[in-house]
Amino acid sequence: MSAPTATLRRPWWSGVLLLTAAVLLLRVVLQGLLWPLELAADEAHYWDWSRRPALSYHTKGPWVAWMIGLSVELLGSSELGVRFPAYLASAVASFAAGALGAALSGGNPRAASGAALALQAISALQVSGSLMTVDMQMVAGWLGGTALAAWALARAEAGRPIAVLLAGAGLCFAQAFLAKYTALLGALGVFLALWRAPALRGHAQRVRGLACYLGLLGLGALPVLWWNARHDWATLRHLALHLEAGGAGSGAGFDWRWPLGYLGMTLGAAGPPQALVVLGALRWSLSAGARSAENAAGLRLCLWSALPVLLFYLLVSCAAPTEGNWALGAYGPLAVLASEWLRRGPAEHAALRRRLGRIAAGFGALTALSVLTLPPAARALEPALAPLGVRLPLYRVSGQRAFALEVRGRVRQTWAALALPGQPDAAPLIADYYSRAALLAFYTPGHPPVRCASARLMARPSAYDDFADTRWPDPALLGQPLVLVGQAAERWRSAFQLEILAELGSATESGRQRPLLLARLVALEPPPPTSPAAPGGR
């Protein structure tokens, strides 16, 4: 048997499955066991959610908390226990990208493996696969839904049943929505592509399949809607507050730097060479050549899976600043589209595509190696970056345990000096902001509940206001010694009626000094208005 024949007969999923297993194993061994990083603030926050199972949460759907809760039950409350679902989602996303590449190529194994590798070459997805946030959980479902929809299109062209595949696509997008609401834009784009696809127009299962798609997608919205209806639509109020704080509705007017910044962040997060490849793929997908190419409907599906979220946040950027990860869901289908452009784009640009593909692959491999081995890689890079004034933000994933232990040590020392009754380790912890509350809860021995005062201090409610054991102020704690973290005494006094027992100095968290106080809550009401107090920092 010749080599080409063997390649064609090899199932498309064999190479993709091998890559998926390798990605998962490397992350567990290198990031989880050899060089683990401490949790970032958002990771600790989602872990704290997982201790209080709910149908949804203040700012996000419940999926990330459910996954952390299950993982921690199996692996314990460690960094690996919290992050393992992120490693798993990265592997699932790779397999889904390979499945999408196979659907676009008629089951070609090389195309499937190339699509999976293209996904792993995206810089932002390497980082997202290393941290337990909502992003990679969303990307895995988004890509899975797009891949199943592409296979449904391929089956429709052959006159085969499609309802089960479209139901699966709707279920995947429902999972992605439960992770991050942005996934709804991807689901909308895929639905529009399916609705317009010529192969589905005369198909016997068109109506049934699309109804299953929308019905199962709607299941993902039910927990979120039910929870919000019972919590005064907290998520909508949070999103409105977020946009207003960023500039929308504040009278700040249009700033041309916002859309430019959005475009720069969206392209830069992919990696410079990868961004060039994606731009080339976008131009090709809109050309007449792509419209007449084999499986043109599948190529359009990839495009429609990505375009709504890209355009939506471009519009948002005209009203307020955006963040680099908001359009992350588009990277999955665009990576597969880019892989197809490299494989079968116009013949006259073949040499350019090969050159760009090699550069993007090399940059992606270097990024993956740096992310997988971040602690030693950072130590090697810091001397070279120091003369340039560049500082790697490793303080976000280091020093958190030392911060929590320093807080506890300061409290014990002062408690004994003041001869206070009770045990110092039982003194309730009150943080000024959700990130500090979460880090203290995870890294303080015993994982005590930590209350958050941001709703009163900064007019920024958080998920901690939704939990009975973390709301603040709490009448059950009147008159008890409390540990206040994150603001100076004047700021706490401006929001609460307190008796300051002692100032404990400060402790280092996220590269900044955070003041520590020992105090008693005298009354639940804010103090009488005096001169305006300066707002506290984060």
Side-chain angles (χ1 to χ4, degrees):
M1 183 184 296
S2 65
T5 304
T7 299
L8 289 174
R9 291 188 179 180
R10 178 166 55 89
W12 66 263
W13 47 261
S14 60
V16 175
L17 193 59
L18 183 62
L19 174 65
T20 298
V23 166
L24 181 58
L25 182 62
L26 282 173
R27 289 198 185 281
V28 170
V29 172
L30 298 180
Q31 296 180 318
L33 300 176
L34 289 181
W35 296 300
L37 296 168
E38 293 182 354
L39 296 186
D42 281 353
E43 294 180 286
H45 192 40
Y46 301 143
W47 164 82
D48 223 0
W49 291 5
S50 75
R51 300 200 289 172
R52 303 164 181 88
L55 291 178
S56 192
Y57 295 90
H58 195 83
T59 57
K60 301 289 190 301
W63 185 263
V64 66
W66 292 351
M67 291 298 100
I68 292 175
L70 179 60
S71 180
V72 164
E73 281 293 318
L74 297 173
L75 302 174
S77 291
S78 63
E79 286 87 356
L80 177 59
V82 172
R83 287 188 177 132
F84 182 74
Y87 303 160
L88 186 61
S90 177
V92 169
S94 286
F95 188 85
L100 180 54
L104 298 181
S105 63
N108 186 305
R110 290 182 179 176
S113 298
L117 285 170
L119 184 84
Q120 290 298 326
I122 300 294
S123 300
L125 296 184
Q126 275 293 328
V127 175
S128 297
S130 305
L131 302 175
M132 187 53 194
T133 66
V134 296
D135 289 322
M136 188 52 72
Q137 307 295 313
M138 173 195 66
V139 169
W142 192 317
L143 264 172
T146 306
L148 288 172
W151 276 104
L153 279 177
R155 288 173 67 89
E157 291 177 352
R160 300 171 67 186
I162 59 171
V164 172
L165 286 171
L166 291 182
L171 197 60
C172 285
F173 273 113
Q175 175 270 310
F177 175 83
L178 287 173
K180 192 172 183 179
Y181 305 136
T182 305
L184 192 60
L185 294 169
L188 172 64
V190 167
F191 176 80
L192 293 175
L194 292 170
W195 182 264
R196 293 168 51 87
L200 259 66
R201 288 177 187 166
H203 198 282
Q205 291 190 345
R206 179 177 189 251
V207 174
R208 187 195 311 172
L210 292 177
C212 288
Y213 175 84
L214 292 176
L216 288 170
L217 173 62
L219 285 179
L222 288 180
V224 174
L225 292 173
W226 177 264
W227 183 90
N228 271 277
R230 295 172 63 87
H231 290 80
D232 194 27
W233 302 100
T235 303
L236 294 180
R237 289 187 288 107
H238 166 79
L239 293 174
L241 181 65
H242 189 75
L243 282 176
E244 184 176 353
S250 64
F254 172 76
D255 189 329
W256 59 268
R257 290 172 295 184
W258 294 343
L260 283 183
Y262 163 73
L263 293 173
M265 286 186 296
T266 302
L267 292 172
Q274 286 81 343
L276 290 176
V277 174
V278 167
L279 289 173
L282 282 172
R283 183 173 180 273
W284 171 64
S285 67
L286 297 170
S287 67
R291 289 195 295 270
S292 61
E294 181 183 357
N295 207 342
L299 297 175
R300 285 195 298 273
L301 180 78
C302 282
L303 186 63
W304 277 94
S305 180
L307 278 184
V309 67
L310 293 173
L311 295 176
F312 175 79
Y313 283 119
L314 180 60
L315 291 175
V316 170
S317 72
C318 294
T322 55
E323 296 181 12
N325 67 326
W326 284 6
L328 198 66
Y331 290 9
L334 287 180
V336 178
L337 190 66
S339 177
E340 282 297 291
W341 175 67
L342 291 174
R343 188 176 70 89
R344 56 182 176 122
E348 60 270 23
H349 300 145
L352 174 62
R353 293 201 313 276
R354 283 195 297 271
R355 193 174 298 114
L356 274 177
R358 293 190 189 107
I359 295 172
F363 188 90
L366 183 60
T367 301
L369 181 63
S370 301
V371 171
L372 289 170
T373 62
L374 185 57
R379 286 194 295 269
L381 286 173
E382 278 178 343
L385 295 176
L388 303 175
V390 177
R391 180 189 176 196
L392 296 174
L394 289 181
Y395 59 87
R396 297 181 182 273
V397 286
S398 62
Q400 324 296 14
R401 181 177 284 103
F403 168 64
L405 293 178
E406 186 174 3
V407 171
R408 174 156 283 187
R410 297 281 183 87
V411 172
R412 286 175 176 173
Q413 183 179 15
T414 306
W415 197 282
L418 296 177
L420 295 173
Q423 295 296 319
D425 291 354
L429 295 165
I430 320 298
D432 65 324
Y433 197 63
Y434 83 90
S435 61
R436 274 174 286 289
L439 291 169
L440 284 170
F442 187 84
Y443 284 108
T444 299
H447 303 306
V450 178
R451 289 164 172 81
C452 180
S454 66
R456 183 78 67 86
L457 284 172
M458 306 175 189
R460 291 290 299 270
S462 71
Y464 287 111
D465 298 300
D466 302 321
F467 305 139
D469 62 340
T470 57
R471 294 192 192 110
W472 185 254
D474 184 349
L477 300 182
L478 279 168
Q480 295 186 30
L482 312 167
V483 181
L484 309 181
V485 182
Q487 297 288 333
E490 294 75 15
R491 181 60 181 150
W492 287 103
R493 282 198 180 103
S494 71
F496 304 98
Q497 295 187 50
L498 298 168
E499 175 193 359
I500 302 297
L501 300 176
E503 298 193 21
L504 309 180
S506 62
T508 303
E509 181 264 325
S510 296
R512 295 177 63 182
Q513 294 298 308
R514 310 296 181 182
L516 309 177
L517 304 169
L518 200 58
R520 283 193 181 98
L521 183 66
V522 176
L524 298 178
E525 298 78 19
T530 55
S531 58
R538 284 168 50 176

